[in-house]
Amino acid sequence: MLITDAAGTIIAANPAFSRITGYTLDEVIGHSPGLLNSGRQDAGFYRRMWSAINSRGQWQGEIWNRRRNGSIYPEWLSISAVHGEDGKVLNYIGIFSDITERKEAEARILHLAHHDPLTNLPNRALLQDRLQQVLLQARRHKRGVAVLLLDLDRFKTINDILGHESGDGLLLQITERCRSTIRDTDTLARLSGDEFVIVLQEVNGAHDAALIARKILDEVALPCQLGEHRITVTASIGIALYDQDGGTPSALLRNADAAMHRAKEAGRNGFEFFSAEMNTSSLGQLLLENQLRGAADRGELLLHYQPKECAISGRLLGLEALLRWQHPELGLVAPGRFIPLAEEIGLIGTIGEWVLGEACRQQRAWLDAGLDIVPVAVNLSAQQLAQQNIVSQISNAINDAGLAPEVIELELTETMLMRDIDRNIHTLIRLRDMGVRLSIDDFGTGYSSLNYLRQFPVNALKIDRSFVSDISAEGNEGKIASAIIGMAHSLGLEAIAEGVETEAQRSFLVAQGCHQLQGYLIGRPVPAGELAPRLRPRPGHR
């Protein structure tokens, strides 16, 4: 508290005044409060303040003053005029509090609201604002702007293996490398995770943007030291140019993101410019994703079945259930188009469960129709195999259909089996003990060793179609297919060849001792209704 006379001369102050300002009472008595002025407020500010005091008898507001040691601090000040009985001013009383901590807290909150807490870079909100200002300047002065969206390649793997602390350390190093590559007038922001945005001002077209993108990629690719580990990481960059690729922040960011994903598809560690065709493709992929989510509920998913026959007798020994999507507008969508999408968006587990249940229901329907069924093979995805309840899920599907486990076969790739070997071996043993048949699909394209192969409790090896297609009419090729058949024999397993399309391939495989054949020569995948003629009636059934 500070009290002055009518002329504005200090006549009293309390101890709190001394604690805040550093002045003792003796040092201020007889002086004007002007000795506290910081110089931050101009003469007009004080004129308005005194005008309010003289007209209303009081004023309050925020003001910056100076302590005895010269430091400037913010305070909340309230000044009231004290009048005598004759209405004349006798004193002025100023009550103020130091609001330094409150101002610092407000500044911290404001900073956190607009900056990434790890890298201290602008976040999405501040990026949008800065990009909007940059575009306004570019429009006014007819200058070019490039928006680069950078995403680290396989960053999740580093996080999973080395931990989030190492991941954060990597992000900080990448931040400094990007910052050192661009100008002070450019903007570097972190959107989320391992995704960064660089806004380049005053660029002269695609050439300038490409030069900067290449410099950034080269810097990012330099080895990073993370504790005791020396890590090399690459990045993919998508580039959108103002205004040919968009005139608003949202359009440029969206199109740079589409270009970045194209760079990922092109092999990573590179950059791609946006194109209108890319946007159309991305939009189509997004629509396809949304439609795939409800495809099973709408009855759009169906199974086709491809025969597997005995290589010697030609007798039907089994079927493989192959998923199809009957899209209401696009027709029959190829599995190669929607299966990878289902894996990417985390739907493959749900779809795989539907496939297993549908295959079991179809087996039951054939039985009820009096047909002698053969084992149906269902492809199991890596996500399904990793589920804790996969064994009970398979058991429930078989039991709900009232089937014997032997009429269901599961196909797994050697690549997925090698991801968590001990756990997968334990899972396969439980499935084998249940009575379910197991086979390794696409054999020869993965990296399983003979030692691990002997531990997997499987019934058959399926020779990948690429090795079958090598077999020529002269029989000069087919060495890998022959070796796999020999390996299957030595391990006591059946050998199944897929992709058999010619008589020459059939003859070669039979001569090598292959047990089962599958492919267009044997039969194309067809709906369940077209397979009934190939299934024999059960003995004694009318």
Side-chain angles (χ1 to χ4, degrees):
M1 180 181 296
L2 184 69
I3 302 175
T4 71
D5 58 18
T9 302
I10 299 173
I11 59 174
N14 67 351
F17 170 86
S18 297
R19 287 198 303 272
I20 293 175
T21 66
Y23 288 101
T24 65
L25 182 61
D26 292 339
E27 289 175 316
V28 297
I29 292 293
H31 292 275
S32 163
L35 62 84
L36 301 173
N37 285 358
S38 65
R40 285 201 177 185
Q41 291 84 213
D42 58 17
F45 172 87
Y46 289 107
R47 280 197 301 271
R48 292 189 295 273
M49 181 184 79
W50 281 108
S51 175
I53 294 171
N54 293 330
S55 61
R56 299 195 297 268
Q58 64 174 6
W59 175 90
Q60 63 177 358
E62 185 180 301
I63 191 171
W64 289 80
N65 274 340
R66 188 184 301 275
R67 307 183 204 273
R68 188 176 186 276
N69 63 9
S71 63
I72 297 173
Y73 68 98
E75 67 178 43
W76 185 260
L77 173 62
S78 176
I79 301 176
S80 299
V82 179
H83 298 83
E85 293 182 0
D86 57 0
K88 293 183 179 180
V89 175
L90 299 177
N91 303 99
Y92 294 100
I93 300 176
I95 300 174
F96 65 90
S97 57
D98 185 347
I99 58 172
T100 300
E101 291 186 3
R102 192 187 84 189
K103 296 287 287 185
E104 289 176 348
E106 289 175 352
R108 282 195 299 272
I109 292 171
L110 184 63
H111 184 83
L112 288 172
H114 293 91
H115 291 80
D116 170 54
L118 173 65
T119 61
N120 204 35
L121 293 176
N123 61 12
R124 186 181 295 272
L126 184 54
L127 171 66
Q128 291 274 0
D129 181 69
R130 287 194 181 178
L131 185 50
Q132 183 65 53
Q133 297 305 315
V134 168
L135 295 183
L136 288 174
Q137 292 291 326
R139 191 173 298 120
R140 183 175 297 117
H141 300 292
K142 297 186 176 359
R143 294 170 178 165
V145 175
V147 175
L148 281 60
L149 196 146
L150 179 150
D151 188 271
L152 297 180
D153 299 327
R154 300 184 178 91
F155 176 72
K156 184 178 184 298
T157 303
I158 295 174
N159 252 352
D160 292 345
I161 295 175
L162 300 182
H164 291 280
E165 185 175 342
S166 293
D168 288 348
L170 175 62
L171 291 174
L172 289 172
Q173 292 187 47
I174 297 301
T175 296
E176 289 309 310
R177 292 179 183 186
C178 291
R179 188 181 275 131
S180 67
T181 308
I182 62 176
R183 301 163 298 184
D184 292 338
T185 54
D186 298 324
T187 295
L188 173 64
R190 183 187 179 201
L191 289 189
S192 61
D194 58 336
E195 203 170 60
F196 297 82
V197 169
I198 300 103
V199 179
L200 304 176
Q201 299 189 59
E202 300 182 27
V203 293
N204 295 318
H207 179 71
D208 281 3
L211 288 176
I212 299 298
R214 175 45 57 194
K215 286 175 63 178
I216 292 172
L217 290 174
D218 291 343
E219 282 292 318
V220 169
L222 295 174
C224 295
Q225 194 68 39
L226 301 176
E228 60 183 19
H229 302 285
R230 192 170 175 82
I231 300 294
T232 299
V233 67
T234 59
S236 300
I237 295 177
I239 307 173
L241 302 174
Y242 170 82
D243 58 349
Q244 68 189 60
D245 297 331
T248 64
S250 59
L252 288 169
L253 289 171
R254 182 175 64 250
N255 293 338
D257 183 70
M260 182 272 292
H261 282 93
R262 179 64 62 87
K264 294 271 190 188
E265 294 169 2
R268 299 182 169 87
N269 193 25
F271 62 85
E272 291 282 343
F273 284 90
F274 172 77
S275 68
E277 294 79 11
M278 186 189 309
N279 194 30
T280 302
S281 174
S282 299
L283 180 58
Q285 191 78 344
L286 179 62
L287 292 174
L288 200 66
E289 174 185 327
N290 290 332
Q291 292 163 346
L292 180 59
R293 292 186 183 278
D297 294 336
R298 294 190 301 270
E300 295 171 5
L301 298 183
L302 65 150
L303 294 182
H304 283 188
Y305 297 86
Q306 186 170 32
K308 294 187 289 184
E309 67 176 30
C310 175
I312 297 175
S313 67
R315 184 167 59 90
L316 182 67
L317 294 182
L319 302 167
E320 182 177 359
L322 299 169
L323 181 62
R324 300 291 185 263
W325 180 13
Q326 187 65 51
H327 192 281
E329 298 169 1
L330 302 176
L332 210 59
V333 181
R337 185 176 181 189
F338 72 88
I339 293 295
L341 177 62
E343 291 175 339
E344 181 182 339
I345 63 179
L347 274 182
I348 195 65
T350 303
I351 291 177
E353 186 175 357
W354 178 89
V355 170
L356 177 64
E358 179 60 24
C360 290
R361 285 189 291 272
Q362 184 57 59
Q363 287 279 62
R364 181 73 258 170
W366 280 325
L367 276 175
D368 292 343
L371 299 175
D372 194 11
I373 61 175
V374 293
V376 169
V378 173
N379 292 280
L380 208 63
S381 71
Q383 291 182 30
Q384 283 178 280
L385 186 62
Q387 292 174 354
Q388 296 293 328
N389 66 335
I390 184 60
V391 175
S392 60
Q393 187 183 117
I394 293 169
S395 176
N396 291 339
I398 293 172
N399 292 335
D400 289 347
L403 300 175
E406 293 78 13
V407 302
I408 293 297
E409 181 176 352
L410 299 176
E411 295 190 1
L412 313 98
T413 66
E414 54 182 325
T415 301
M416 61 190 274
L417 288 175
M418 295 297 292
R419 290 184 181 176
D420 190 345
I421 296 172
D422 293 337
R423 181 184 180 279
N424 289 337
I425 290 175
H426 177 68
T427 301
L428 296 188
I429 289 173
R430 293 173 64 194
L431 291 169
R432 181 200 62 189
D433 292 345
M434 185 195 304
V436 174
R437 287 178 51 83
L438 302 168
S439 62
I440 299 182
D441 194 15
D442 301 334
F443 189 78
T445 60
Y447 51 87
S448 60
S449 68
L450 183 60
N451 180 49
Y452 283 121
L453 185 59
R454 295 174 62 183
Q455 297 182 55
F456 292 134
V458 298
N459 303 95
L461 301 181
K462 291 193 73 174
I463 307 167
D464 186 72
R465 66 181 61 250
S466 62
F467 305 131
V468 174
S469 65
D470 283 343
I471 302 170
S472 64
E474 295 76 23
N476 295 329
E477 301 296 336
K479 294 178 181 178
I480 296 179
S482 179
I484 294 173
I485 294 170
M487 184 186 299
H489 286 171
S490 67
L491 293 172
L493 304 176
E494 292 184 21
I496 304 172
E498 59 182 352
V500 180
E501 297 184 355
T502 67
E503 286 293 347
Q505 292 168 352
R506 186 213 296 262
S507 299
F508 179 89
L509 293 166
V510 170
Q512 298 301 315
C514 189
H515 300 89
Q516 295 185 38
L517 306 178
Q518 178 183 353
Y520 284 178
L521 182 67
I522 311 305
R524 291 177 176 269
V526 293
E530 297 182 26
L531 274 170
R534 292 204 62 174
L535 298 174
R536 295 179 301 180
R538 285 211 317 276
H541 190 278
R542 293 189 167 190

